[in-house]
PDB file of all heavy atoms in Angstrom:
ATOM      1  N   ASP G 582     -19.653  16.020  10.570  1.00  0.00           N
ATOM      2  CA  ASP G 582     -20.152  17.379  10.737  1.00  0.00           C
ATOM      3  C   ASP G 582     -20.430  17.696  12.206  1.00  0.00           C
ATOM      4  O   ASP G 582     -20.434  18.860  12.608  1.00  0.00           O
ATOM      5  CB  ASP G 582     -21.445  17.581   9.937  1.00  0.00           C
ATOM      6  CG  ASP G 582     -21.185  17.620   8.436  1.00  0.00           C
ATOM      7  OD1 ASP G 582     -20.128  18.140   8.039  1.00  0.00           O
ATOM      8  OD2 ASP G 582     -22.028  17.121   7.681  1.00  0.00           O
ATOM      9  N   VAL G 583     -20.634  16.648  12.996  1.00  0.00           N
ATOM     10  CA  VAL G 583     -20.957  16.841  14.408  1.00  0.00           C
ATOM     11  C   VAL G 583     -19.800  17.474  15.175  1.00  0.00           C
ATOM     12  O   VAL G 583     -20.002  18.040  16.250  1.00  0.00           O
ATOM     13  CB  VAL G 583     -21.361  15.496  15.053  1.00  0.00           C
ATOM     14  CG1 VAL G 583     -22.679  15.015  14.462  1.00  0.00           C
ATOM     15  CG2 VAL G 583     -20.276  14.438  14.843  1.00  0.00           C
ATOM     16  N   VAL G 584     -18.578  17.395  14.631  1.00  0.00           N
ATOM     17  CA  VAL G 584     -17.456  18.120  15.235  1.00  0.00           C
ATOM     18  C   VAL G 584     -16.890  19.141  14.252  1.00  0.00           C
ATOM     19  O   VAL G 584     -15.853  19.751  14.515  1.00  0.00           O
ATOM     20  CB  VAL G 584     -16.333  17.158  15.699  1.00  0.00           C
ATOM     21  CG1 VAL G 584     -16.817  16.308  16.851  1.00  0.00           C
ATOM     22  CG2 VAL G 584     -15.832  16.287  14.552  1.00  0.00           C
ATOM     23  N   GLY G 585     -17.570  19.340  13.147  1.00  0.00           N
ATOM     24  CA  GLY G 585     -17.088  20.248  12.124  1.00  0.00           C
ATOM     25  C   GLY G 585     -17.157  21.705  12.510  1.00  0.00           C
ATOM     26  O   GLY G 585     -16.534  22.553  11.864  1.00  0.00           O
ATOM     27  N   GLN G 586     -17.924  22.027  13.566  1.00  0.00           N
ATOM     28  CA  GLN G 586     -18.019  23.426  13.970  1.00  0.00           C
ATOM     29  C   GLN G 586     -16.745  23.928  14.622  1.00  0.00           C
ATOM     30  O   GLN G 586     -16.566  25.135  14.810  1.00  0.00           O
ATOM     31  CB  GLN G 586     -19.198  23.624  14.933  1.00  0.00           C
ATOM     32  CG  GLN G 586     -19.019  23.036  16.337  1.00  0.00           C
ATOM     33  CD  GLN G 586     -19.552  21.616  16.435  1.00  0.00           C
ATOM     34  OE1 GLN G 586     -19.583  20.903  15.432  1.00  0.00           O
ATOM     35  NE2 GLN G 586     -19.996  21.217  17.611  1.00  0.00           N
ATOM     36  N   PHE G 587     -15.843  23.020  14.970  1.00  0.00           N
ATOM     37  CA  PHE G 587     -14.605  23.426  15.616  1.00  0.00           C
ATOM     38  C   PHE G 587     -13.552  23.704  14.548  1.00  0.00           C
ATOM     39  O   PHE G 587     -13.151  22.818  13.810  1.00  0.00           O
ATOM     40  CB  PHE G 587     -14.115  22.340  16.577  1.00  0.00           C
ATOM     41  CG  PHE G 587     -15.082  22.043  17.684  1.00  0.00           C
ATOM     42  CD1 PHE G 587     -15.853  20.890  17.666  1.00  0.00           C
ATOM     43  CD2 PHE G 587     -15.232  22.924  18.742  1.00  0.00           C
ATOM     44  CE1 PHE G 587     -16.748  20.615  18.676  1.00  0.00           C
ATOM     45  CE2 PHE G 587     -16.128  22.655  19.765  1.00  0.00           C
ATOM     46  CZ  PHE G 587     -16.887  21.507  19.741  1.00  0.00           C
ATOM     47  N   GLY G 588     -13.129  24.961  14.482  1.00  0.00           N
ATOM     48  CA  GLY G 588     -12.109  25.308  13.511  1.00  0.00           C
ATOM     49  C   GLY G 588     -10.714  25.157  14.072  1.00  0.00           C
ATOM     50  O   GLY G 588      -9.838  24.564  13.473  1.00  0.00           O
ATOM     51  N   SER G 589     -10.490  25.706  15.257  1.00  0.00           N
ATOM     52  CA  SER G 589      -9.201  25.615  15.914  1.00  0.00           C
ATOM     53  C   SER G 589      -9.409  25.623  17.425  1.00  0.00           C
ATOM     54  O   SER G 589     -10.004  26.577  17.949  1.00  0.00           O
ATOM     55  CB  SER G 589      -8.301  26.793  15.521  1.00  0.00           C
ATOM     56  OG  SER G 589      -7.035  26.698  16.114  1.00  0.00           O
ATOM     57  N   PRO G 590      -8.989  24.539  18.122  1.00  0.00           N
ATOM     58  CA  PRO G 590      -8.328  23.334  17.612  1.00  0.00           C
ATOM     59  C   PRO G 590      -9.163  22.612  16.549  1.00  0.00           C
ATOM     60  O   PRO G 590     -10.394  22.756  16.511  1.00  0.00           O
ATOM     61  CB  PRO G 590      -8.164  22.465  18.861  1.00  0.00           C
ATOM     62  CG  PRO G 590      -8.260  23.395  20.015  1.00  0.00           C
ATOM     63  CD  PRO G 590      -9.202  24.464  19.586  1.00  0.00           C
ATOM     64  N   ALA G 591      -8.493  21.858  15.721  1.00  0.00           N
ATOM     65  CA  ALA G 591      -9.115  21.320  14.510  1.00  0.00           C
ATOM     66  C   ALA G 591      -9.964  20.081  14.734  1.00  0.00           C
ATOM     67  O   ALA G 591     -10.519  19.543  13.785  1.00  0.00           O
ATOM     68  CB  ALA G 591      -8.027  20.995  13.489  1.00  0.00           C
ATOM     69  N   ALA G 592     -10.059  19.586  15.981  1.00  0.00           N
ATOM     70  CA  ALA G 592     -10.903  18.428  16.314  1.00  0.00           C
ATOM     71  C   ALA G 592     -10.486  17.173  15.560  1.00  0.00           C
ATOM     72  O   ALA G 592     -11.335  16.376  15.171  1.00  0.00           O
ATOM     73  CB  ALA G 592     -12.380  18.744  16.077  1.00  0.00           C
ATOM     74  N   ILE G 593      -9.188  16.993  15.375  1.00  0.00           N
ATOM     75  CA  ILE G 593      -8.704  15.773  14.724  1.00  0.00           C
ATOM     76  C   ILE G 593      -8.842  14.557  15.646  1.00  0.00           C
ATOM     77  O   ILE G 593      -9.341  13.503  15.211  1.00  0.00           O
ATOM     78  CB  ILE G 593      -7.254  15.948  14.244  1.00  0.00           C
ATOM     79  CG1 ILE G 593      -7.153  17.126  13.265  1.00  0.00           C
ATOM     80  CG2 ILE G 593      -6.760  14.663  13.599  1.00  0.00           C
ATOM     81  CD1 ILE G 593      -8.055  17.037  12.050  1.00  0.00           C
ATOM     82  N   PRO G 594      -8.421  14.627  16.922  1.00  0.00           N
ATOM     83  CA  PRO G 594      -8.611  13.458  17.796  1.00  0.00           C
ATOM     84  C   PRO G 594     -10.067  13.047  17.931  1.00  0.00           C
ATOM     85  O   PRO G 594     -10.381  11.857  18.067  1.00  0.00           O
ATOM     86  CB  PRO G 594      -8.033  13.922  19.143  1.00  0.00           C
ATOM     87  CG  PRO G 594      -7.052  14.989  18.785  1.00  0.00           C
ATOM     88  CD  PRO G 594      -7.668  15.697  17.616  1.00  0.00           C
ATOM     89  N   GLN G 595     -10.972  14.020  17.881  1.00  0.00           N
ATOM     90  CA  GLN G 595     -12.401  13.708  17.971  1.00  0.00           C
ATOM     91  C   GLN G 595     -12.854  12.942  16.728  1.00  0.00           C
ATOM     92  O   GLN G 595     -13.672  12.018  16.823  1.00  0.00           O
ATOM     93  CB  GLN G 595     -13.212  15.006  18.132  1.00  0.00           C
ATOM     94  CG  GLN G 595     -13.036  15.681  19.487  1.00  0.00           C
ATOM     95  CD  GLN G 595     -11.659  16.295  19.713  1.00  0.00           C
ATOM     96  OE1 GLN G 595     -10.961  16.674  18.764  1.00  0.00           O
ATOM     97  NE2 GLN G 595     -11.256  16.394  20.972  1.00  0.00           N
ATOM     98  N   ARG G 596     -12.323  13.280  15.587  1.00  0.00           N
ATOM     99  CA  ARG G 596     -12.640  12.524  14.372  1.00  0.00           C
ATOM    100  C   ARG G 596     -12.129  11.082  14.486  1.00  0.00           C
ATOM    101  O   ARG G 596     -12.815  10.136  14.092  1.00  0.00           O
ATOM    102  CB  ARG G 596     -12.043  13.221  13.152  1.00  0.00           C
ATOM    103  CG  ARG G 596     -12.785  14.501  12.766  1.00  0.00           C
ATOM    104  CD  ARG G 596     -12.014  15.291  11.704  1.00  0.00           C
ATOM    105  NE  ARG G 596     -12.857  16.317  11.096  1.00  0.00           N
ATOM    106  CZ  ARG G 596     -13.074  17.533  11.619  1.00  0.00           C
ATOM    107  NH1 ARG G 596     -12.480  17.864  12.772  1.00  0.00           N
ATOM    108  NH2 ARG G 596     -13.855  18.404  11.004  1.00  0.00           N
ATOM    109  N   GLY G 597     -10.927  10.927  15.026  1.00  0.00           N
ATOM    110  CA  GLY G 597     -10.419   9.572  15.233  1.00  0.00           C
ATOM    111  C   GLY G 597     -11.300   8.768  16.164  1.00  0.00           C
ATOM    112  O   GLY G 597     -11.567   7.579  15.924  1.00  0.00           O
ATOM    113  N   ASP G 598     -11.784   9.404  17.252  1.00  0.00           N
ATOM    114  CA  ASP G 598     -12.686   8.710  18.179  1.00  0.00           C
ATOM    115  C   ASP G 598     -13.949   8.235  17.467  1.00  0.00           C
ATOM    116  O   ASP G 598     -14.419   7.100  17.681  1.00  0.00           O
ATOM    117  CB  ASP G 598     -13.088   9.642  19.327  1.00  0.00           C
ATOM    118  CG  ASP G 598     -11.947   9.949  20.278  1.00  0.00           C
ATOM    119  OD1 ASP G 598     -10.947   9.212  20.269  1.00  0.00           O
ATOM    120  OD2 ASP G 598     -12.070  10.947  21.029  1.00  0.00           O
ATOM    121  N   ILE G 599     -14.505   9.094  16.628  1.00  0.00           N
ATOM    122  CA  ILE G 599     -15.763   8.749  15.957  1.00  0.00           C
ATOM    123  C   ILE G 599     -15.535   7.634  14.931  1.00  0.00           C
ATOM    124  O   ILE G 599     -16.371   6.736  14.785  1.00  0.00           O
ATOM    125  CB  ILE G 599     -16.379  10.007  15.307  1.00  0.00           C
ATOM    126  CG1 ILE G 599     -16.813  10.995  16.405  1.00  0.00           C
ATOM    127  CG2 ILE G 599     -17.578   9.633  14.434  1.00  0.00           C
ATOM    128  CD1 ILE G 599     -17.232  12.350  15.877  1.00  0.00           C
ATOM    129  N   LEU G 600     -14.410   7.654  14.229  1.00  0.00           N
ATOM    130  CA  LEU G 600     -14.117   6.576  13.276  1.00  0.00           C
ATOM    131  C   LEU G 600     -13.996   5.237  13.994  1.00  0.00           C
ATOM    132  O   LEU G 600     -14.567   4.225  13.551  1.00  0.00           O
ATOM    133  CB  LEU G 600     -12.842   6.885  12.510  1.00  0.00           C
ATOM    134  CG  LEU G 600     -12.917   8.050  11.508  1.00  0.00           C
ATOM    135  CD1 LEU G 600     -11.526   8.421  11.013  1.00  0.00           C
ATOM    136  CD2 LEU G 600     -13.822   7.704  10.328  1.00  0.00           C
ATOM    137  N   LEU G 601     -13.266   5.213  15.109  1.00  0.00           N
ATOM    138  CA  LEU G 601     -13.137   3.957  15.855  1.00  0.00           C
ATOM    139  C   LEU G 601     -14.477   3.537  16.453  1.00  0.00           C
ATOM    140  O   LEU G 601     -14.811   2.337  16.466  1.00  0.00           O
ATOM    141  CB  LEU G 601     -12.093   4.107  16.957  1.00  0.00           C
ATOM    142  CG  LEU G 601     -10.637   4.217  16.497  1.00  0.00           C
ATOM    143  CD1 LEU G 601      -9.722   4.486  17.677  1.00  0.00           C
ATOM    144  CD2 LEU G 601     -10.192   2.957  15.762  1.00  0.00           C
ATOM    145  N   GLY G 602     -15.258   4.491  16.938  1.00  0.00           N
ATOM    146  CA  GLY G 602     -16.586   4.166  17.461  1.00  0.00           C
ATOM    147  C   GLY G 602     -17.501   3.610  16.392  1.00  0.00           C
ATOM    148  O   GLY G 602     -18.358   2.763  16.669  1.00  0.00           O
ATOM    149  N   THR G 603     -17.312   4.057  15.151  1.00  0.00           N
ATOM    150  CA  THR G 603     -18.126   3.538  14.048  1.00  0.00           C
ATOM    151  C   THR G 603     -17.766   2.095  13.753  1.00  0.00           C
ATOM    152  O   THR G 603     -18.644   1.269  13.446  1.00  0.00           O
ATOM    153  CB  THR G 603     -17.943   4.421  12.812  1.00  0.00           C
ATOM    154  OG1 THR G 603     -18.287   5.776  13.133  1.00  0.00           O
ATOM    155  CG2 THR G 603     -18.826   3.943  11.666  1.00  0.00           C
ATOM    156  N   ILE G 604     -16.478   1.761  13.820  1.00  0.00           N
ATOM    157  CA  ILE G 604     -16.099   0.352  13.666  1.00  0.00           C
ATOM    158  C   ILE G 604     -16.777  -0.487  14.737  1.00  0.00           C
ATOM    159  O   ILE G 604     -17.413  -1.515  14.449  1.00  0.00           O
ATOM    160  CB  ILE G 604     -14.566   0.186  13.755  1.00  0.00           C
ATOM    161  CG1 ILE G 604     -13.874   0.880  12.585  1.00  0.00           C
ATOM    162  CG2 ILE G 604     -14.198  -1.306  13.779  1.00  0.00           C
ATOM    163  CD1 ILE G 604     -12.352   0.870  12.676  1.00  0.00           C
ATOM    164  N   GLU G 605     -16.655  -0.074  15.980  1.00  0.00           N
ATOM    165  CA  GLU G 605     -17.213  -0.850  17.092  1.00  0.00           C
ATOM    166  C   GLU G 605     -18.706  -1.074  16.919  1.00  0.00           C
ATOM    167  O   GLU G 605     -19.204  -2.208  17.049  1.00  0.00           O
ATOM    168  CB  GLU G 605     -16.955  -0.118  18.406  1.00  0.00           C
ATOM    169  CG  GLU G 605     -17.572  -0.814  19.616  1.00  0.00           C
ATOM    170  CD  GLU G 605     -17.465   0.009  20.888  1.00  0.00           C
ATOM    171  OE1 GLU G 605     -17.093   1.194  20.804  1.00  0.00           O
ATOM    172  OE2 GLU G 605     -17.763  -0.534  21.959  1.00  0.00           O
ATOM    173  N   ARG G 606     -19.427  -0.026  16.607  1.00  0.00           N
ATOM    174  CA  ARG G 606     -20.888  -0.148  16.545  1.00  0.00           C
ATOM    175  C   ARG G 606     -21.344  -0.867  15.279  1.00  0.00           C
ATOM    176  O   ARG G 606     -22.359  -1.573  15.304  1.00  0.00           O
ATOM    177  CB  ARG G 606     -21.525   1.236  16.655  1.00  0.00           C
ATOM    178  CG  ARG G 606     -21.317   1.857  18.039  1.00  0.00           C
ATOM    179  CD  ARG G 606     -21.991   3.196  18.166  1.00  0.00           C
ATOM    180  NE  ARG G 606     -21.908   3.685  19.543  1.00  0.00           N
ATOM    181  CZ  ARG G 606     -22.523   4.791  19.981  1.00  0.00           C
ATOM    182  NH1 ARG G 606     -23.249   5.524  19.136  1.00  0.00           N
ATOM    183  NH2 ARG G 606     -22.412   5.178  21.240  1.00  0.00           N
ATOM    184  N   THR G 607     -20.606  -0.708  14.184  1.00  0.00           N
ATOM    185  CA  THR G 607     -20.992  -1.415  12.962  1.00  0.00           C
ATOM    186  C   THR G 607     -20.779  -2.913  13.113  1.00  0.00           C
ATOM    187  O   THR G 607     -21.527  -3.721  12.531  1.00  0.00           O
ATOM    188  CB  THR G 607     -20.199  -0.869  11.758  1.00  0.00           C
ATOM    189  OG1 THR G 607     -20.394   0.544  11.668  1.00  0.00           O
ATOM    190  CG2 THR G 607     -20.672  -1.514  10.462  1.00  0.00           C
ATOM    191  N   LEU G 608     -19.773  -3.307  13.888  1.00  0.00           N
ATOM    192  CA  LEU G 608     -19.567  -4.727  14.143  1.00  0.00           C
ATOM    193  C   LEU G 608     -20.610  -5.291  15.111  1.00  0.00           C
ATOM    194  O   LEU G 608     -20.644  -6.509  15.331  1.00  0.00           O
ATOM    195  CB  LEU G 608     -18.161  -4.970  14.702  1.00  0.00           C
ATOM    196  CG  LEU G 608     -17.002  -4.675  13.740  1.00  0.00           C
ATOM    197  CD1 LEU G 608     -15.665  -4.920  14.424  1.00  0.00           C
ATOM    198  CD2 LEU G 608     -17.112  -5.495  12.462  1.00  0.00           C
TER     199      LEU G 608
END
Side-chain angles (χ1 to χ4, degrees):
D582 289 325
V583 293
V584 293
Q586 71 268 27
F587 299 105
S589 182
I593 302 303
Q595 290 70 26
R596 287 170 166 83
D598 290 342
I599 293 171
L600 291 169
L601 290 175
T603 303
I604 295 175
E605 177 187 10
R606 293 182 173 186
T607 305
L608 294 179

